[in-house]
Amino acid sequence: MNYKKLTGFRKCIACSSLFIGILPTYAQVGGLRLSVIAERPSRQVVAAYEGADRGTGNTSIAFDSADIYKWSGTSKERAESWGYFTTDGREVPYIKRDRDLGQTFLYTGKTLKTLTAITVATGYGTNAVRLNTYQKAVSIQIFAVSGEPVPNDNGSDATTEAFHGFPHNRMGDSILHHRDDYFTGETYTSLAVFSGAVFPGKRAFGFATETEAVSPDHPRLKGRLLRFNLPASKPVVLKPGTRYAFLIMLDRKGDECGFTLANNYYGTYPDGHGIRRDGNGVFPPAAADPARAFTDPANANAYTSAHFPADFAKRTAIPPGTNGYPDVCTWRDLLFYVEAK
């Protein structure tokens, strides 16, 4: 393997390939199904990671219609603390970004197999499933991954703090320098986008009715297994010794829309890592002026930077990676099970 562990962090064997993005392939297929299941998959599992932090973190798929400034200064608009920082110590405000989440994994089998299902779990934080997420359309994108992950320290090292990352609100806390690290070196080739599923309704989580008021922090929403059954109409064939990835997304923006995924920030899955699609895929985010409205012409670049393109095909053409604002997925592993036959 070209993945090695070193004091809890991933470090890859050096390679000279640079990140060159996603190849221009695109196929959207209907027939995806999503359900809440009671037991973890145990048959035909070809890749899995079961580690998950049961703390209060809210690592989430986010496609919410409410704009928020990331900025510790004053603004008459809605804002959350701390933007990102430049190497000379200046804080840069930006608009909170849309987010899809997923994972890379290695197929270690000896024969060709067809991908049939992917299972993840909701997280254990305080915002496990946001209020209006139920029965909203969801999709999953599958990639072949080539190249090797090459760490980029984003200009921070042991002599500095990270320039963005957790804790988002510093308030006297420091941010470890690796919290803004990200990987280059991998190329993601889209194999298919499977659509047609909806996020399960409240009854699927054990509530009496679909109209029942349910707090995003309700215990029944946490650590619940979500199984994506892929349609047979577009087979994705796994090749031995090949790395793949999946990316889960909410199809359309909505008020209070998003759900968390169970994960371990310092994951120990040896053959892959968490990934995300973050805003328009350009880093760092374009700077915003928090003294103006989100849609003010002065914030046009910042607004575009924060949001997915309206065209779904253009959105799915944005390559995923590990970089993200305010946090990164570089060291993260999702809880996941990949099934194939």
Side-chain angles (χ1 to χ4, degrees):
M1 291 301 125
N2 284 333
Y3 286 79
K4 291 184 176 181
K5 297 298 191 237
L6 180 62
T7 61
F9 303 132
R10 289 194 184 81
K11 192 173 184 179
C12 79
I13 290 178
C15 99
S16 61
S17 74
L18 298 176
F19 176 75
I20 59 174
I22 188 172
L23 298 181
T25 59
Y26 178 78
Q28 187 172 7
V29 181
L32 180 68
R33 291 180 292 121
L34 174 58
S35 59
V36 179
I37 60 175
E39 302 290 337
R40 65 184 185 182
S42 58
R43 298 179 59 198
Q44 301 178 335
V45 174
V46 298
Y49 177 69
E50 296 185 314
D53 177 3
R54 300 198 177 202
T56 59
N58 289 303
T59 304
S60 59
I61 292 167
F63 203 16
D64 191 84
S65 57
D67 288 311
I68 301 172
Y69 284 120
K70 299 294 293 184
W71 171 237
S72 64
T74 59
S75 175
K76 66 179 182 180
E77 307 292 343
R78 186 178 174 187
E80 294 177 344
S81 291
W82 296 97
Y84 62 90
F85 288 79
T86 62
T87 55
D88 60 0
R90 292 182 298 108
E91 184 186 0
V92 181
Y94 65 98
I95 299 173
K96 192 172 183 179
R97 291 157 76 84
D98 300 331
R99 186 184 314 124
D100 302 329
L101 290 179
Q103 173 82 26
T104 70
F105 63 92
L106 180 69
Y107 174 53
T108 60
K110 303 300 184 184
T111 61
L112 298 175
K113 288 195 174 184
T114 299
L115 183 64
T116 57
I118 294 172
T119 298
V120 294
T122 56
Y124 295 90
T126 57
N127 210 12
V129 179
R130 298 183 68 181
L131 297 175
N132 295 323
T133 307
Y134 305 98
Q135 299 179 332
K136 292 297 190 295
V138 293
S139 296
I140 189 167
Q141 189 169 7
I142 309 298
F143 303 89
V145 183
S146 60
E148 297 296 334
V150 179
N152 185 312
D153 66 10
N154 197 42
S156 61
D157 57 29
T159 67
T160 71
E161 294 186 28
F163 297 117
H164 66 93
F166 179 85
H168 306 154
N169 184 340
R170 296 190 183 185
M171 299 300 287
D173 294 328
S174 62
I175 303 181
L176 296 174
H177 65 86
H178 63 265
R179 285 282 187 164
D180 62 1
D181 294 357
Y182 61 93
F183 288 141
T184 61
E186 294 180 307
T187 297
Y188 295 79
T189 302
S190 183
L191 301 178
V193 177
F194 295 108
S195 299
V198 296
F199 192 85
K202 294 175 183 177
R203 288 181 178 176
F205 291 94
F207 300 102
T209 68
E210 297 299 337
T211 58
E212 182 175 347
V214 177
S215 167
D217 193 30
H218 197 288
R220 288 184 190 169
L221 300 175
K222 301 180 183 185
R224 302 301 298 273
L225 294 167
L226 302 175
R227 188 171 188 261
F228 291 82
N229 286 84
L230 308 184
S233 56
K234 172 71 175 177
V236 173
V237 177
L238 304 182
K239 300 177 182 179
T242 302
R243 193 164 287 118
Y244 296 91
F246 62 86
L247 199 65
I248 298 169
M249 63 196 87
L250 281 162
D251 290 7
R252 288 179 287 278
K253 184 182 296 188
D255 184 44
E256 291 289 341
C257 278
F259 60 98
T260 59
L261 293 182
N263 71 94
N264 193 323
Y265 187 82
Y266 298 116
T268 56
Y269 175 67
D271 298 320
H273 53 79
I275 58 172
R276 60 172 59 200
R277 177 182 287 127
D278 193 275
N280 70 347
V282 177
F283 299 98
D289 182 353
R292 299 174 182 263
F294 297 106
T295 55
D296 188 284
N299 280 323
N301 290 337
Y303 196 84
T304 298
S305 177
H307 297 302
F308 296 141
D311 183 274
F312 194 70
K314 291 181 180 179
R315 170 182 171 185
T316 57
I318 297 171
T322 59
N323 202 1
Y325 283 70
D327 215 342
V328 299
C329 285
T330 309
W331 317 113
R332 192 187 313 276
D333 284 315
L334 299 183
L335 183 153
F336 72 94
Y337 304 88
V338 176
E339 298 172 65
K341 66 178 181 180

